[in-house]
Amino acid sequence: MRLYKPRLSIEKSYRREFALSNMLLLPDSFGNIYLGETFSSYISVINQFSCDLHQVGLTAKLQTPTTRSDLSDRRLARGGTTPPTNPAAVLSAGSNLDMAVEYELNEIGVHTLRVGVSYLDPITSEAKSLRKFYRFQVLNPFTITFKHVLIKDESYVEAKIQNITQTPLHVETIAFVPSPPFHALELSADTAANPLVFPEDTIHRTFKVTAAHLDLSLGTLNLGRLEVAWKSAMGESGRMQTQPVMRKVGSVKEASVSIQLPSSLHAKVGTPFIATFLIQNNGSRAMNLQLQLRRELMVGILCCGLSHQNLGTVQGGTTVTVDVPLLPLIAGLQQIRGVFAVDMDTTVEFPQEKLVHVLVKSGVDSK
């Protein structure tokens, strides 16, 4: 962020409440500063007295809408000179104590730079202090909207990015940062590799987000975030990330049971037939599953083999098949029901997804 050059005015010290001059100034207007940019400020306090001041300290804090952070001198970290000792034991007449601070802006809204100065009164040696508050508004440089489409368990995320500032922005990178275990692949991009986006202009990006195995027990899945990096017309850099793009799992359960019947099945009362049970682990973690056919819930068609079968450890994203003999007892349209997959470690039960209907004929041939 650039600061406009302030107009300095010096008042005589006898008209002031504090011994230090009012050259502790920032401009009335910062200009515009945006989310993702780095707030930088040079702060200087000057001794305008003809005598020395003792124990002069300079502090700076930045208050955001949710937090308050202490700011330190960043000159040495940025390759500059070593900052002066702060607090200064003696600040001679006409000299100054300064600091250069910076803070990466990650919230929109009103921010307040709180500058504090402490010193000893040159006559009474009484400890005195003063504070100055400088408020500024952090704006959002872009509006970013998403459109999420799910096709065969693959997520397609389209991002619409609009420049809502008053100046052109040079977009350097647009990337989708996936959350584990997802992977992102950009499918389309605008013709310009690093587009110059004018005010109110919009650019689009589309990403394919996939994962080998998903933990469907979470209810919603965090696909990841969109990260945009840009530079302003004066070369000031900014970077921002959006809120997570969420995918609703819907009614898909961590494990499921389905039933397949022989295509040539002609069920008759008293004649057993074989049904194939498919137990699928839809999540990403391994599960210790057991197939249960609960006879007290089965009517018309009963299990005539083992009603409880341990399936062992079923890995995430895999399916186990079990053949079970069933015995029709009542003629007519009957249901195969009372089938469960049970996680033996957590005792969570997963009932069969759909009831299966079977037309059972009488065991006596009609003449």
Side-chain angles (χ1 to χ4, degrees):
M1 188 200 76
R2 294 179 296 112
L3 295 182
Y4 294 100
K5 182 179 179 181
R7 183 180 62 183
L8 300 180
S9 60
I10 304 175
E11 297 177 359
K12 295 182 179 180
S13 59
Y14 64 81
R15 296 179 57 189
R16 295 180 51 81
E17 180 182 356
F18 302 104
L20 300 179
S21 85
N22 67 341
M23 291 188 69
L24 179 65
L25 293 177
L26 283 178
D28 293 335
S29 174
F30 278 25
N32 292 329
I33 187 167
Y34 296 100
L35 179 72
E37 293 184 341
T38 299
F39 168 78
S40 301
S41 179
Y42 173 77
I43 305 170
S44 178
V45 57
I46 303 174
N47 179 8
Q48 289 293 309
F49 269 82
S50 58
C51 61
D52 296 342
L53 293 176
H54 297 271
Q55 297 301 318
V56 179
L58 178 61
T59 61
K61 302 176 185 290
L62 188 68
Q63 181 173 327
T64 73
T66 60
T67 62
R68 181 184 296 182
S69 302
D70 294 327
L71 303 181
S72 58
D73 199 310
R74 298 287 298 168
R75 278 177 289 190
L76 187 61
R78 299 184 64 177
T81 59
T82 302
T85 302
N86 185 7
V90 177
L91 188 64
S92 58
S95 62
N96 72 300
L97 176 64
D98 58 6
M99 62 190 306
V101 299
E102 61 182 28
Y103 184 87
E104 186 174 342
L105 300 171
N106 51 26
E107 294 181 69
I108 60 175
V110 177
H111 289 55
T112 304
L113 178 63
R114 307 166 65 97
V115 179
V117 179
S118 60
Y119 62 98
L120 298 180
D121 189 281
I123 299 176
T124 65
S125 296
E126 178 186 358
K128 289 191 175 182
S129 63
L130 66 91
R131 292 185 299 172
K132 291 285 187 178
F133 298 155
Y134 305 99
R135 291 181 174 85
F136 58 96
Q137 183 84 13
V138 177
L139 306 175
N140 209 336
F142 298 103
T143 57
I144 302 177
T145 56
F146 295 100
K147 180 180 179 181
H148 175 231
V149 178
L150 186 63
I151 302 177
K152 294 183 178 180
D153 208 35
E154 294 179 341
S155 294
Y156 293 84
V157 179
E158 180 186 3
K160 177 182 177 182
I161 306 160
Q162 184 179 27
N163 178 4
I164 57 174
T165 71
Q166 301 300 314
T167 58
L169 296 177
H170 182 78
V171 177
E172 292 190 309
T173 60
I174 301 175
F176 192 87
V177 183
S179 299
F182 291 100
H183 302 278
L185 174 66
E186 185 173 355
L187 299 181
S188 64
D190 293 340
T191 54
N194 297 314
L196 183 64
V197 185
F198 289 90
E200 304 301 326
D201 280 359
T202 301
I203 54 178
H204 296 80
R205 293 290 188 272
T206 303
F207 302 89
K208 177 182 177 181
V209 184
T210 58
H213 303 293
L214 299 178
D215 186 357
L216 300 180
S217 64
L218 299 177
T220 57
L221 301 175
N222 180 357
L223 298 181
R225 303 169 184 259
L226 188 73
E227 183 177 276
V228 182
W230 73 92
K231 284 187 177 180
S232 68
M234 299 301 295
E236 297 151 323
S237 299
R239 181 182 298 271
M240 63 178 291
Q241 279 193 349
T242 65
Q243 294 295 319
V245 179
M246 307 302 293
R247 167 183 162 182
K248 293 183 179 180
V249 176
S251 60
V252 179
K253 299 178 180 179
E254 194 174 9
S256 59
V257 182
S258 58
I259 304 172
Q260 288 184 349
L261 299 177
S263 57
S264 59
L265 175 63
H266 299 285
K268 293 184 179 181
V269 172
T271 302
F273 65 90
I274 300 297
T276 301
F277 292 80
L278 290 81
I279 302 91
Q280 182 171 358
N281 182 349
N282 300 314
S284 58
R285 68 179 182 91
M287 303 175 67
N288 181 19
L289 296 177
Q290 183 183 74
L291 176 65
Q292 297 183 3
L293 282 74
R294 299 177 181 176
R295 293 178 178 176
E296 67 274 13
L297 300 178
M298 305 181 76
V299 178
I301 299 178
L302 301 182
C303 171
C304 59
L306 292 176
S307 61
H308 290 55
Q309 298 190 40
N310 291 323
L311 307 179
T313 301
V314 180
Q315 299 297 327
T318 61
T319 301
V320 176
T321 60
V322 179
D323 292 335
V324 178
L326 300 178
L327 178 64
L329 296 179
I330 302 175
L333 188 62
Q334 305 297 330
Q335 295 177 339
I336 301 176
R337 56 195 304 176
V339 182
F340 293 82
V342 179
D343 185 347
M344 301 304 291
D345 295 330
T346 63
T347 69
V348 176
E349 298 181 351
F350 304 96
Q352 67 189 91
E353 293 291 327
K354 296 180 180 179
L355 296 178
V356 177
H357 293 81
V358 179
L359 180 60
V360 179
K361 297 182 179 181
S362 173
V364 180
D365 294 333
S366 59
K367 296 182 180 180

